[in-house]
Amino acid sequence: RVVDKTVKNPNNFSKVDVNFLEDEEKLKEHYPDVLDANAAFCNVEAGSILYLPASWFHEVTSYGTADGHLALNYWFHPPDG
């Protein structure tokens, strides 16, 4: 299988228009399945890591300390197989 790694918006990126997220009526009209989605929340403490499997949609809020903080994304693309 050959994978084009230059695709700007791969199929696993969300198709939901972020401008609709605060408007339940627009969501219901354009993306009704989003209203059935389940949410999960977590806090990641210093020295910890959160692993998200490929294609998991997520939103992150980062907070720093007096020492600063680091948020790192590592986009690993498995070898073509």
Side-chain angles (χ1 to χ4, degrees):
R1 177 180 136 199
V2 177
V3 177
D4 181 357
K5 298 175 188 166
T6 63
V7 174
K8 184 174 181 178
N9 293 310
N11 290 334
N12 60 337
F13 278 28
S14 176
K15 305 291 189 256
V16 176
D17 185 333
V18 295
N19 297 311
F20 292 173
L21 294 178
E22 300 298 323
D23 188 332
E24 190 170 322
E25 287 305 312
K26 282 187 178 180
L27 279 174
K28 194 180 295 184
E29 179 183 345
H30 296 279
Y31 308 100
D33 292 339
V34 143
L35 298 173
D36 295 327
N38 294 317
F41 300 89
C42 72
N43 291 315
V44 180
E45 302 297 330
S48 296
I49 185 171
L50 173 63
Y51 170 79
L52 295 173
S55 301
W56 275 38
F57 300 121
H58 61 282
E59 179 181 347
V60 176
T61 303
S62 296
Y63 301 97
T65 65
D67 298 324
H69 86 283
L70 171 70
L72 175 72
N73 287 319
Y74 179 73
W75 293 79
F76 174 75
H77 190 285
D80 298 335

Short mmCIF file of all heavy atoms in Angstrom, two decimals, residues 50 52 58 60 70-76:
data_model
loop_
_atom_site.label_atom_id
_atom_site.label_comp_id
_atom_site.label_asym_id
_atom_site.label_seq_id
_atom_site.Cartn_x
_atom_site.Cartn_y
_atom_site.Cartn_z
N LEU A 50 0.70 11.41 27.57
CA LEU A 50 -0.61 10.91 27.14
C LEU A 50 -0.46 10.43 25.71
O LEU A 50 -0.06 11.19 24.83
CB LEU A 50 -1.67 12.01 27.21
CG LEU A 50 -3.04 11.65 26.63
CD1 LEU A 50 -3.67 10.52 27.42
CD2 LEU A 50 -3.93 12.87 26.59
N LEU A 52 -2.23 9.10 22.37
CA LEU A 52 -3.49 9.03 21.64
C LEU A 52 -3.27 8.21 20.38
O LEU A 52 -2.39 8.52 19.58
CB LEU A 52 -3.97 10.43 21.24
CG LEU A 52 -4.32 11.35 22.39
CD1 LEU A 52 -4.61 12.75 21.86
CD2 LEU A 52 -5.51 10.82 23.15
N HIS A 58 -8.99 15.17 19.20
CA HIS A 58 -8.72 15.65 20.55
C HIS A 58 -8.54 17.16 20.56
O HIS A 58 -8.31 17.78 19.53
CB HIS A 58 -7.48 14.98 21.13
CG HIS A 58 -6.24 15.24 20.33
ND1 HIS A 58 -5.96 14.58 19.15
CD2 HIS A 58 -5.22 16.10 20.54
CE1 HIS A 58 -4.82 15.03 18.67
NE2 HIS A 58 -4.34 15.95 19.48
N VAL A 60 -6.61 20.13 23.19
CA VAL A 60 -5.66 20.24 24.29
C VAL A 60 -5.62 21.68 24.79
O VAL A 60 -5.58 22.62 24.00
CB VAL A 60 -4.24 19.82 23.85
CG1 VAL A 60 -3.23 20.04 24.95
CG2 VAL A 60 -4.24 18.38 23.37
N LEU A 70 6.23 22.45 28.23
CA LEU A 70 6.50 21.96 26.89
C LEU A 70 5.36 21.05 26.47
O LEU A 70 4.98 20.14 27.20
CB LEU A 70 7.81 21.17 26.86
CG LEU A 70 8.12 20.40 25.58
CD1 LEU A 70 8.43 21.39 24.46
CD2 LEU A 70 9.27 19.46 25.79
N ALA A 71 4.79 21.33 25.33
CA ALA A 71 3.79 20.45 24.73
C ALA A 71 4.37 19.98 23.40
O ALA A 71 4.77 20.80 22.57
CB ALA A 71 2.47 21.18 24.51
N LEU A 72 4.46 18.69 23.22
CA LEU A 72 5.13 18.14 22.05
C LEU A 72 4.21 17.15 21.34
O LEU A 72 3.62 16.27 21.97
CB LEU A 72 6.41 17.42 22.49
CG LEU A 72 7.17 16.68 21.41
CD1 LEU A 72 7.85 17.67 20.48
CD2 LEU A 72 8.20 15.76 22.03
N ASN A 73 4.07 17.33 20.05
CA ASN A 73 3.36 16.36 19.22
C ASN A 73 4.39 15.62 18.38
O ASN A 73 5.25 16.25 17.76
CB ASN A 73 2.38 17.04 18.26
CG ASN A 73 1.17 17.58 18.97
OD1 ASN A 73 0.63 16.94 19.85
ND2 ASN A 73 0.75 18.76 18.60
N TYR A 74 4.29 14.33 18.37
CA TYR A 74 5.15 13.53 17.51
C TYR A 74 4.24 12.79 16.55
O TYR A 74 3.49 11.90 16.94
CB TYR A 74 5.99 12.55 18.34
CG TYR A 74 6.89 11.69 17.50
CD1 TYR A 74 8.03 12.22 16.91
CD2 TYR A 74 6.59 10.36 17.26
CE1 TYR A 74 8.87 11.45 16.12
CE2 TYR A 74 7.42 9.57 16.46
CZ TYR A 74 8.54 10.12 15.91
OH TYR A 74 9.36 9.37 15.13
N TRP A 75 4.25 13.18 15.29
CA TRP A 75 3.40 12.60 14.28
C TRP A 75 4.15 11.43 13.64
O TRP A 75 4.89 11.61 12.69
CB TRP A 75 3.03 13.63 13.22
CG TRP A 75 2.15 14.71 13.77
CD1 TRP A 75 2.55 15.77 14.52
CD2 TRP A 75 0.74 14.81 13.64
NE1 TRP A 75 1.46 16.54 14.85
CE2 TRP A 75 0.34 15.98 14.31
CE3 TRP A 75 -0.23 14.05 13.00
CZ2 TRP A 75 -0.98 16.38 14.38
CZ3 TRP A 75 -1.53 14.46 13.06
CH2 TRP A 75 -1.90 15.60 13.74
N PHE A 76 3.95 10.26 14.19
CA PHE A 76 4.60 9.08 13.69
C PHE A 76 3.74 8.45 12.60
O PHE A 76 2.57 8.20 12.79
CB PHE A 76 4.81 8.05 14.81
CG PHE A 76 5.36 6.76 14.34
CD1 PHE A 76 6.70 6.64 13.97
CD2 PHE A 76 4.54 5.64 14.25
CE1 PHE A 76 7.20 5.43 13.52
CE2 PHE A 76 5.04 4.44 13.79
CZ PHE A 76 6.37 4.33 13.45
#
